[in-house]
Amino acid sequence: MTDKKKTGGLAGVTAGKTALCTVGKEGAGLTYCGYDIYDLADNASFEEVAHLLLRGHLPTQAELDDYVATIKSLRELPDALKTVLEMIPADAHPMDVLRTAVSFLGNIEPEGDFTNQQHVATRLLAVMPSILLYWHRFHTGGTRIATETDDDTVAGHFLHLLHGQAPSPFHEKCLSTTLILYAEHEFNASTFAGRVITGTLSDMHSAVSGAIGALRGPLHGGANEAAMELIQKFSSAEEATKGVHGMLERKELIMGFGHRVYTTSDPRNSVNKAMSKALAEEKGDMTLYEVSEAVEKVMWDEKKLFANADFFAASVYHFMGIPTYLFTPIFVCSRITGWAAHIMEQRADNKLIRPAAEYVGPALQEWLAIEDR
Ligand code: COA
């Protein structure tokens, strides 16, 4: 039997090469195309980061202006897609909505040959918030919203469509920062799923649909929603401390903690945590932040497990008035950049991804006719 701790879930296995990202590397931490995530979070816009990942370099001002203008011009939804979004039930999970919408776009705007890949990547980046919030606003308020706004950023566009008005610069900056932190993370489960699909020389819409399906689960992107559900259960730090101790005794998973690659901390957490605190202060109610800190302390004291990017992202989104069920879809609005960059990288040096399995089934059996079984 294979040693599960060593090889289960491909842990520790190097499954290919990438020039896009390092995760938890000694002396490097989290980097995108050679840039430290902290430099990007402090100084870059999400659109600059998207350009870096998808076009391979930080844009000049002229390139950025052009890129932003292109994104803005691609936010509109085709009528056929609006009809599909209206037909999807109101109680569907928004991740399923995105998966279906991307798949449908693959039918009405097929990629064709791969020379079109940069355009398809930009189109998906531009249209993702429009898809999500058209569906959301239609089913929650009966409104058929216009999905084109004048906002220069993906974050501004998202919050504008959600709340029906342009966000404050502070909220726009906070959402943009979380988009930067979520943009790319090497061979995580959804990206790897996308690369496996791409390896067959399939199209970008298929690879992204598969990646959305992988991101949906609570062990991956879905953890930010599960983290919100957890912290909302507690009305004080004391209650949270007691509650999480009880959960650990019952061997329950605490969502938003632990990581396959990082061993002592997730570098994205400190940025999200600082934003969560600032947003709680703006709101004038520190309860949820204090509850989150209490959960974080118990997890470290008891299990030496640290908060990952999803844990404080939950309260950041909550403080901006974003409904919990839209948290994981926000991850999609960001990670589409990393996915598309990996799809292009896989295509540039493609090899079908087809590993081997260790067979643990029965030995060769004698064939039995149906009446003899
Ligand atoms: N809460 C409680 N215990 C946890 C835990 C958590 N969030 N994360 C890991 N552990 C425990 C496991 O139960 C396991 O204990 P054991 O050795 O006694 O069986 C040990 O820590 C190792 O965890 P394991 O699940 O084998 O690690 P992994 O590398 O396969 O999984 C995650 C990594 C991220 C899937 C895992 O930490 C997890 O499920 N976290 C919660 C979901 C989450 O936040 N996902 C987002 C990731 S960015």
Side-chain angles (χ1 to χ4, degrees):
M1 181 86 184
T2 310
D3 182 346
K4 183 177 172 289
K5 286 279 175 216
K6 268 193 205 147
T7 60
L10 299 179
V13 173
T14 300
K17 293 181 183 172
T18 184
L20 293 167
C21 182
T22 63
V23 174
K25 223 172 172 195
E26 190 68 37
L30 177 56
T31 64
Y32 299 168
C33 303
Y35 290 94
D36 192 295
I37 190 71
Y38 292 127
D39 283 337
L40 296 173
D42 282 350
N43 303 303
S45 66
F46 172 62
E47 291 67 28
E48 280 177 282
V49 172
H51 190 286
L52 172 68
L53 290 167
L54 290 162
R55 310 262 163 112
H57 64 277
L58 284 173
T60 62
Q61 188 62 54
E63 284 172 328
L64 182 62
D65 292 346
D66 185 54
Y67 193 49
V68 166
T70 307
I71 293 171
K72 285 171 78 171
S73 72
L74 292 172
R75 287 174 174 163
E76 203 176 353
L77 299 177
D79 286 343
L81 178 53
K82 288 182 187 167
T83 305
V84 168
L85 293 172
E86 290 176 19
M87 284 168 65
I88 297 176
D91 62 354
H93 193 287
M95 288 295 279
D96 298 341
V97 177
L98 290 182
R99 192 194 59 221
T100 297
V102 169
S103 178
F104 185 70
L105 266 184
N107 288 285
I108 58 172
E109 297 178 4
E111 184 178 13
D113 68 50
F114 299 162
T115 55
N116 209 21
Q117 61 182 2
Q118 280 289 352
H119 168 76
V120 176
T122 314
R123 169 69 167 150
L124 289 174
L125 170 63
V127 84
M128 213 66 87
S130 304
I131 292 171
L132 181 68
L133 293 158
Y134 184 89
W135 172 81
H136 172 71
R137 295 281 306 276
F138 179 79
H139 289 287
T140 53
T143 322
R144 290 189 167 92
I145 57 166
T147 57
E148 285 181 296
T149 69
D150 205 30
D151 303 278
D152 283 340
T153 66
V154 172
H157 180 232
F158 183 100
L159 289 170
H160 196 156
L161 294 188
L162 175 64
H163 296 309
Q165 59 185 47
S168 70
F170 179 47
H171 285 194
E172 184 177 7
K173 170 80 182 135
C174 287
L175 184 58
S176 277
T177 305
T178 70
L179 297 180
I180 291 172
L181 299 176
Y182 269 147
E184 165 53 11
H185 219 222
E186 199 223 44
F187 278 17
N188 59 88
S190 56
T191 300
F192 194 63
R195 284 190 81 129
V196 169
I197 294 169
T198 303
T200 69
L201 298 182
S202 188
D203 66 304
M204 193 176 286
H205 297 92
S206 297
V208 171
S209 305
I212 292 172
L215 187 70
R216 184 193 195 290
L219 295 190
H220 193 5
N224 54 17
E225 295 181 19
M228 189 67 225
E229 279 150 25
L230 173 74
I231 56 179
Q232 264 183 323
K233 282 188 199 157
F234 306 118
S235 52
S236 68
E238 295 71 38
E239 224 182 79
T241 303
K242 203 166 154 228
V244 174
H245 271 118
M247 289 176 76
L248 290 178
E249 274 159 31
R250 294 190 297 277
K251 305 247 174 268
E252 290 175 32
L253 266 187
I254 312 296
M255 294 308 185
F257 286 85
H259 200 270
R260 171 58 66 78
V261 182
Y262 300 124
T263 51
T264 53
S265 69
D266 181 331
R268 301 166 295 182
N269 181 47
S270 58
V271 183
N272 280 339
K273 188 173 174 179
M275 277 191 294
S276 172
K277 188 168 186 221
L279 284 159
E281 283 164 358
E282 181 197 52
K283 209 168 187 299
D285 181 356
M286 300 305 286
T287 313
L288 210 54
Y289 179 77
E290 285 163 5
V291 161
S292 305
E293 270 200 315
V295 176
E296 193 184 28
K297 182 167 173 7
V298 176
M299 289 304 282
W300 185 254
D301 290 349
E302 295 298 316
K303 301 278 289 184
K304 291 290 165 278
L305 283 172
F306 50 88
N308 58 47
D310 291 317
F311 188 65
F312 279 97
S315 47
V316 166
Y317 294 151
H318 179 79
F319 289 137
M320 288 191 280
I322 301 173
T324 304
Y325 66 88
L326 297 183
F327 290 5
T328 317
I330 294 178
F331 200 153
V332 176
C333 294
S334 159
R335 186 60 62 85
I336 180 62
T337 56
W339 289 335
H342 276 274
I343 289 166
M344 293 188 219
E345 189 179 56
Q346 177 70 30
R347 285 174 174 174
D349 185 20
N350 191 55
K351 178 97 178 148
L352 180 78
I353 299 172
R354 198 297 187 195
E358 178 190 355
Y359 180 66
V360 294
L364 202 57
Q365 306 284 302
E366 189 186 338
W367 168 256
L368 291 177
I370 197 160
E371 60 276 14
D372 298 329
R373 289 172 206 164

